[in-house]
Amino acid sequence: MARSVTYSVVPRRNPSEKGTPPKYYAQAQARGDVRIREMSERIQSSCTVNKADVYAVLVALEDVITDALKGGEIVRLGDLGTLQIGISSKGAVTEEDYDVSLITKARINFRPGVALSGMLTTLSYAKVP
């Protein structure tokens, strides 16, 4: 089975140009999801490590990544990419006036590495209703 990204075509209006007709754009459609158990099975089929060991490593990886991000570390996943905490805040007039209560939101920033960025250049697409 050929692997391709599925998409549908949806109308969207430009909110700054009221009264103009919508234009049509592609919107990616997910085919489902892949959970840790299925990833374990897929990885097992491509190497000599058994499913239980792969599952244990993936669960431990989740814990290690979470702890590292909580500690303010950058998590580098080789050619997959990098994870890092980013924050948004309100401004203060002076540095002395700044207080942690001005931080409004934290998020996880992901920067894809060469493996994922390279994959994007070779995608194929299939339209779905």
Side-chain angles (χ1 to χ4, degrees):
M1 175 174 94
R3 309 272 304 163
S4 58
V5 174
T6 55
Y7 72 95
S8 60
V9 178
V10 296
R12 292 202 180 114
R13 294 188 185 279
N14 184 339
S16 66
E17 297 177 12
K18 295 184 186 324
T20 61
K23 291 185 178 178
Y24 292 83
Y25 298 88
Q27 178 173 300
Q29 300 295 324
R31 289 186 173 169
D33 55 13
V34 179
R35 298 177 186 261
I36 288 180
R37 287 193 191 277
E38 185 176 342
M39 283 191 273
S40 307
E41 292 170 8
R42 290 182 184 187
I43 292 169
Q44 171 192 269
S45 70
S46 66
C47 66
T48 60
V49 181
N50 70 48
K51 182 174 90 170
D53 290 339
V54 173
Y55 182 79
V57 169
L58 291 174
V59 170
L61 179 64
E62 180 182 340
D63 294 338
V64 169
I65 289 172
T66 301
D67 288 343
L69 291 173
K70 281 182 183 177
E73 296 175 274
I74 297 171
V75 177
R76 299 189 189 281
L77 299 171
D79 288 346
L80 284 177
T82 303
L83 298 164
Q84 182 177 6
I85 296 293
I87 55 176
S88 297
S89 72
K90 296 177 183 174
V93 176
T94 67
E95 185 175 350
E96 292 75 26
D97 291 340
Y98 196 87
D99 181 79
V100 70
S101 66
L102 295 174
I103 296 174
T104 58
K105 182 171 85 172
R107 66 192 166 282
I108 297 171
N109 295 328
F110 176 74
R111 291 177 200 86
V114 292
L116 293 180
S117 296
M119 174 271 308
L120 292 174
T121 64
T122 63
L123 292 175
S124 63
Y125 304 94
K127 186 177 176 182
V128 295

